[in-house]
Amino acid sequence: MKKQNHDKLKRDFQELYRKTILACAVIGIGAIILVYLIVDPGLSALKTDVPQTELVSVPEDDDYDKIENGIHVRTGFIDAPGMMVTVQNCTNCHSAKLVMQNRMNEERWKSTIKWMQETQNLWDLGENEAVIINYLVTNYPPKKVGRRAVLTDIEWYQLEE
């Protein structure tokens, strides 16, 4: 009788162990699914269809590439040879204002472009590189400013210890 009780207790324990393992597995799988749904609620990794993209065309009568007083309205670039190549290659990644404010010479533009290609995934500009550099050096040359202006109209005060 003692052996039968022991065998029954052993079977009950094994069954409880199996149920516990199964419950932990179900909870674990449920947790993984829940985390995945939080990270990717649209289940995009499971979709096999190609994402739909919409092509937007700019109407001809729009002011998209309008020039006023020698300035490209959309970007603020000076209208000169090479402007559109510069717009098409530089404003894909950053603002035209960032390009205009840098005011570098040819050598510095070349090294900046090389740096962007090596570290920022800028594509090979090919023949456009010379056109862009020439446009920027001609229209946005480095400013020779020298020292900063003298401070005027400053009301000085004593620091107290």
Side-chain angles (χ1 to χ4, degrees), residues 50-107:
V50 177
Q52 298 296 318
T53 58
E54 182 180 342
L55 295 176
V56 179
S57 62
V58 179
E60 290 295 323
D61 59 352
D62 198 9
D63 294 338
Y64 190 74
D65 283 327
K66 187 175 182 181
I67 307 291
E68 279 185 4
N69 300 321
I71 302 295
H72 186 242
V73 174
R74 181 170 51 93
T75 61
F77 277 133
I78 295 170
D79 183 27
M83 181 200 70
M84 284 313 296
V85 173
T86 305
V87 168
Q88 292 165 352
N89 286 278
C90 297
T91 61
N92 284 320
C93 300
H94 43 71
S95 162
K97 290 181 181 182
L98 179 66
V99 177
M100 291 185 283
Q101 78 182 10
N102 276 294
R103 297 188 166 269
M104 295 185 266
N105 62 24
E106 183 177 350
E107 182 180 313

Side-chain angles (χ1 to χ4, degrees), residues 7-159:
D7 289 343
K8 183 179 181 319
L9 186 63
K10 186 177 178 182
R11 281 192 305 274
D12 289 345
F13 181 74
Q14 286 175 340
E15 186 177 336
L16 179 63
Y17 179 74
R18 282 188 209 112
K19 287 180 180 179
T20 303
I21 294 296
L22 180 63
C24 288
V26 168
I27 290 170
I29 291 170
I32 290 171
I33 291 171
L34 181 63
V35 168
Y36 184 81
L37 287 174
I38 290 171
V39 172
D40 184 12
L43 300 173
S44 63
L46 302 176
K47 294 180 181 175
T48 57
D49 59 333
V50 177
Q52 298 296 318
T53 58
E54 182 180 342
L55 295 176
V56 179
S57 62
V58 179
E60 290 295 323
D61 59 352
D62 198 9
D63 294 338
Y64 190 74
D65 283 327
K66 187 175 182 181
I67 307 291
E68 279 185 4
N69 300 321
I71 302 295
H72 186 242
V73 174
R74 181 170 51 93
T75 61
F77 277 133
I78 295 170
D79 183 27
M83 181 200 70
M84 284 313 296
V85 173
T86 305
V87 168
Q88 292 165 352
N89 286 278
C90 297
T91 61
N92 284 320
C93 300
H94 43 71
S95 162
K97 290 181 181 182
L98 179 66
V99 177
M100 291 185 283
Q101 78 182 10
N102 276 294
R103 297 188 166 269
M104 295 185 266
N105 62 24
E106 183 177 350
E107 182 180 313
R108 290 213 36 226
W109 274 116
K110 283 182 182 180
S111 67
T112 301
I113 289 170
K114 183 178 179 187
W115 173 81
M116 287 188 285
Q117 289 170 333
E118 291 172 352
T119 63
Q120 307 301 310
N121 294 325
L122 174 63
W123 52 89
D124 180 20
L125 297 172
E127 295 174 7
N128 289 337
E129 183 173 330
V131 174
I132 293 167
I133 291 173
N134 184 50
Y135 172 80
L136 293 172
V137 169
T138 303
N139 297 288
Y140 302 99
K143 287 184 179 178
K144 295 181 181 178
V145 177
R147 294 186 59 160
R148 66 169 172 76
V150 176
L151 297 175
T152 58
D153 299 325
I154 302 292
E155 192 173 315
W156 297 100
Y157 58 91
Q158 283 296 109
L159 290 176

